[in-house]
Amino acid sequence: GENVEQHPSTLSVQEGDSAVIKCTYSDSASNYFPWYKQELGKRPQLIIDIRSNVGEKKDQRIAVTLNKTAKHFSLHITETQPEDSAVYFCAATLEYGNKLVFGAGTILRVKS
Amino acid sequence: NAGVTQTPKFRILKIGQSMTLQCTQDMNHNYMYWYRQDPGMGLKLIYYSVGAGITDKGEVPNGYNVSRSTTEDFPLRLELAAPSQTSVYFCASSYWGANEKLFFGSGTQLSVL
């Protein structure tokens, strides 16, 4: 079926290290790939997104890469800080952009 | 602007009861979505709407119904509540569709006992 798989489910890093979260998708028509951050008890918030005509996008300490041939995309966080601790969700569009399907999430813990 | 407003914030239902989760947005967005988030899990799409009068099923529509009579409102109806519907429900909206940022409400935490 149409789904988005996300790995790892949990990730612990030392403050200052980098963190990488990977996702794969199944629908070759998907053309928009956002990443959302959800802090405990809060609503998801968009942190970065990438469209299918771009291979990489950066915003300060976060970056996203996309490999359309392999149908996978990744979130990279450099110089992690304790406030980066949260659950991160990848997502991909389906049905010509009408629907957004999420991965299962990655719990990121940044140890100080 | 209030953005996306959901009510109630918390609710406890008994098995078999019914209720409506309210969602309203004041951004004149065309698209609205209902997601559920089970503990420790990702967001699953229940229903979505591309405009007033138009709704469609998402990944997990069974046990739910929606309507979209106005641009602003997108209520989610639970009929015959079951323990499996215990979850946090998020409403979201966007102007052009899922190919852009979704604005989420603060969520409704529902327990069915």
Side-chain angles (χ1 to χ4, degrees):
Chain A
E2 303 156 333
N3 61 6
V4 176
E5 294 190 359
Q6 182 172 347
H7 300 281
S9 56
T10 60
L11 179 60
S12 290
V13 299
Q14 206 63 36
E15 182 178 359
D17 288 350
S18 296
V20 180
I21 303 170
K22 299 182 179 182
C23 289
T24 60
Y25 61 97
S26 58
D27 188 351
S28 57
S30 296
N31 59 5
Y32 176 68
F33 308 91
W35 287 87
Y36 283 79
K37 175 183 180 182
Q38 186 179 30
E39 297 176 347
L40 189 63
K42 304 287 187 181
R43 72 195 78 186
Q45 300 271 10
L46 178 71
I47 56 171
I48 195 168
D49 55 14
I50 191 167
R51 299 186 186 275
S52 57
N53 58 348
V54 176
E56 183 176 3
K57 184 177 179 181
K58 285 185 178 181
D59 183 3
Q60 300 183 342
R61 295 187 297 107
I62 60 174
V64 58
T65 58
L66 171 66
N67 183 327
K68 282 221 73 178
T69 303
K71 294 184 189 172
H72 65 72
F73 56 112
S74 301
L75 177 71
H76 304 253
I77 306 175
T78 59
E79 300 173 17
T80 53
Q81 301 168 3
E83 52 264 39
D84 294 330
S85 296
V87 182
Y88 291 82
F89 294 98
C90 63
T93 50
L94 297 176
E95 296 196 6
Y96 309 104
N98 282 338
K99 297 162 64 172
L100 189 67
V101 176
F102 285 82
T106 296
I107 300 172
L108 175 64
R109 297 190 183 95
V110 180
K111 297 175 286 187
S112 56
Chain B
N1 284 344
V4 179
T5 303
Q6 289 184 238
T7 56
K9 293 191 182 301
F10 304 94
R11 183 72 186 268
I12 298 175
L13 281 181
K14 293 183 178 179
I15 295 172
Q17 287 185 321
S18 300
M19 76 164 294
T20 299
L21 280 66
Q22 301 291 345
C23 176
T24 187
Q25 51 89 11
D26 62 359
M27 298 173 282
N28 201 32
H29 283 173
N30 295 310
Y31 287 71
M32 296 188 75
Y33 308 85
W34 274 107
Y35 286 90
R36 60 176 285 174
Q37 185 175 31
D38 296 339
M41 302 291 286
L43 296 136
K44 294 292 186 183
L45 182 64
I46 305 171
Y47 271 95
Y48 69 100
S49 170
V50 303
I54 306 170
T55 62
D56 206 348
K57 296 177 181 179
E59 302 167 271
V60 289
N62 292 343
Y64 307 94
N65 279 300
V66 293
S67 60
R68 184 94 182 273
S69 56
T70 67
T71 299
E72 295 79 17
D73 301 307
F74 190 40
L76 178 71
R77 178 82 178 162
L78 278 74
E79 304 281 2
L80 299 175
S84 61
Q85 294 178 304
T86 293
S87 192
V88 178
Y89 292 83
F90 286 101
C91 178
S93 72
S94 66
Y95 192 77
W96 292 115
N99 284 321
E100 60 174 12
K101 175 182 176 180
L102 297 191
F103 291 79
F104 281 87
S106 58
T108 295
Q109 188 168 323
L110 176 67
S111 295
V112 182
L113 305 175

